[in-house]
Amino acid sequence: DAGVIQSPRHEVTEMGQEVTLRCKPISGHDYLFWYRQTMMRGLELLIYFNNNVPIDDSGMPEDRFSAKMPNASFSTLKIQPSEPRDSAVYFCASSLTSGGAYEQYFGPGTRLTVT
Amino acid sequence: AQTVTQSQPEMSVQEAETVTLSCTYDTSESDYYLFWYKQPPSRQMILVIRQEAYKQQNATENRFSVNFQKAAKSFSLKISDSQLGDAAMYFCAYRSAFGNEKLTFGTGTRLTIIP
């Protein structure tokens, strides 16, 4: 299996621009997670989906952030308009529920820089 | 809300020696799962080991083992026979067993291996 795929790996954009991050989960997994990693706040969950339905978006910082999962094999995280404080590494992860301490498999992350 | 605390921002160990990374957590739940993730410079998050709270036996994975003390809410990671490839950030994480699938991470410990 190719693992969780994220694109782009790096993104540099100017303040005010729209940014779209993409994720392809592992085939067959029914949960998808978006995390953000910064020096100040560490790793924090933004939102997660179960069977393409958003379950918990309480970690989404503000209305500038939105996430969608139109089908089981694709999800996007959009920031519009972007701000310098959005600079971070954004991880997508997926998991297959199996009734226990199932693992979340992480993608390689997208490093976003907003200037 | 659950919190995870890693009180050692940095640790170092001589190659082939043993090192223990500390983690404590706070929760009012009776059942949950605990994880240690490794993040090397490539920034890929890799699961090292997991522990179900209802299991008294400490989990082990080759050179990696945990000391799980449920009453003390402590979950330390022991790495035996340290190798250069073990150099990374190590994150302790908590997940509830009661429906919320999010991982709550600690702030991480940077482990350096001294040749």
Side-chain angles (χ1 to χ4, degrees):
Chain A
D1 200 317
V4 176
I5 299 173
Q6 291 187 248
S7 65
R9 293 294 307 275
H10 300 89
E11 177 79 32
V12 180
T13 190
E14 292 184 348
M15 181 174 61
Q17 296 298 306
E18 177 179 296
V19 175
T20 299
L21 310 181
R22 297 172 175 80
C23 175
K24 177 179 170 57
I26 293 173
S27 176
H29 281 191
D30 56 351
Y31 279 88
L32 184 139
F33 305 82
W34 283 100
Y35 291 90
R36 179 172 67 176
Q37 185 177 32
T38 62
M39 288 296 293
M40 290 296 295
R41 299 175 66 90
L43 273 157
E44 53 183 347
L45 178 74
L46 299 178
I47 185 171
Y48 76 89
F49 297 82
N50 177 218
N51 292 322
N52 313 339
V53 176
I55 302 301
D56 183 355
D57 66 354
S58 60
M60 295 286 263
E62 49 199 271
D63 292 346
R64 297 185 297 107
F65 285 69
S66 61
K68 295 182 179 180
M69 192 164 186
N71 57 62
S73 59
F74 184 66
S75 177
T76 60
L77 177 68
K78 186 177 295 186
I79 308 172
Q80 166 63 21
S82 58
E83 297 182 1
R85 58 192 169 119
D86 301 330
S87 297
V89 178
Y90 291 82
F91 287 99
C92 177
S94 70
S95 68
L96 174 65
T97 52
S98 59
Y102 45 87
E103 175 180 357
Q104 290 185 17
Y105 293 83
F106 282 75
T110 295
R111 181 178 292 280
L112 173 65
T113 302
V114 183
T115 61
Chain B
Q2 293 78 26
T3 58
V4 178
T5 301
Q6 294 179 252
S7 58
Q8 305 156 315
E10 296 184 353
M11 293 281 286
S12 61
V13 62
Q14 206 81 27
E15 192 176 3
E17 296 297 310
T18 296
V19 64
T20 299
L21 307 184
S22 300
C23 173
T24 59
Y25 57 94
D26 187 28
T27 184
S28 59
E29 297 179 330
S30 58
D31 199 14
Y32 44 87
Y33 307 102
L34 298 166
F35 305 84
W36 278 98
Y37 275 87
K38 169 185 177 181
Q39 186 178 39
S42 67
R43 77 171 181 244
Q44 179 75 50
M45 295 289 287
I46 303 164
L47 180 67
V48 175
I49 199 166
R50 76 193 84 187
Q51 175 81 42
E52 292 95 331
Y54 64 86
K55 289 187 177 179
Q56 293 187 341
Q57 186 174 8
N58 289 325
T60 62
E61 288 286 345
N62 301 314
R63 297 183 295 108
F64 298 87
S65 61
V66 298
N67 183 3
F68 174 49
Q69 301 289 329
K70 190 173 184 179
K73 296 180 181 175
S74 171
F75 182 61
S76 60
L77 174 69
K78 185 172 82 171
I79 306 174
S80 303
D81 185 25
S82 297
Q83 301 175 1
L84 294 177
D86 295 334
M89 284 290 288
Y90 286 81
F91 292 93
C92 180
Y94 171 104
R95 183 171 65 76
S96 171
F98 298 105
N100 193 321
E101 305 298 326
K102 69 179 278 187
L103 285 172
T104 300
F105 288 91
T107 51
T109 297
R110 182 176 300 281
L111 179 64
T112 300
I113 311 298
I114 303 167

